[in-house]
Amino acid sequence: MSTIHGNSEFGLATARRQPYSPLEAYWNAFREWRKRERLRAALDDLSDRELMDIGIARGELDYVARSALSADPRFTL
């Protein structure tokens, strides 16, 4: 008895492409930094009560902005 359901074809790999030049690596790092800064600014605009509702203290904003982008795909700015 088989427990496999659905299509068993393999899809394309989703690995990131390695940057081929220092300029591209710099540009990608700059874009990630800008995303973190936009997230940090958006969180900073929230009141202490709103931050408390989502479980973040004001002192944790830098940590959340650094780690949230790599850990949670919902943070796309």
Side-chain angles (χ1 to χ4, degrees), residues 12-23:
L12 295 175
T14 58
R16 286 189 167 188
R17 184 174 63 87
Q18 292 294 323
Y20 63 91
S21 73
L23 184 59

Side-chain angles (χ1 to χ4, degrees), residues 32 36-37 39-40 43 59-71:
E32 290 298 317
R36 285 191 306 273
E37 288 300 310
L39 177 60
R40 170 78 168 84
L43 290 172
E60 299 173 326
L61 292 182
D62 289 328
Y63 172 76
V64 170
R66 270 185 311 205
S67 62
L69 290 174
S70 62

Side-chain angles (χ1 to χ4, degrees), residues 2-77:
S2 175
T3 59
I4 298 174
H5 300 285
N7 194 352
S8 62
E9 292 181 23
F10 293 105
L12 295 175
T14 58
R16 286 189 167 188
R17 184 174 63 87
Q18 292 294 323
Y20 63 91
S21 73
L23 184 59
E24 184 178 359
Y26 172 78
W27 181 249
N28 290 338
F30 176 75
R31 288 176 50 208
E32 290 298 317
W33 174 77
R34 288 292 297 148
K35 284 181 186 179
R36 285 191 306 273
E37 288 300 310
R38 282 194 299 265
L39 177 60
R40 170 78 168 84
L43 290 172
D44 195 41
D45 288 341
L46 297 176
S47 69
D48 289 335
R49 175 67 181 192
E50 292 168 325
L51 289 172
M52 188 185 313
D53 285 343
I54 60 174
I56 299 173
R58 189 154 303 274
E60 299 173 326
L61 292 182
D62 289 328
Y63 172 76
V64 170
R66 270 185 311 205
S67 62
L69 290 174
S70 62
D72 194 345
R74 293 178 294 170
F75 292 108
T76 55
L77 299 175

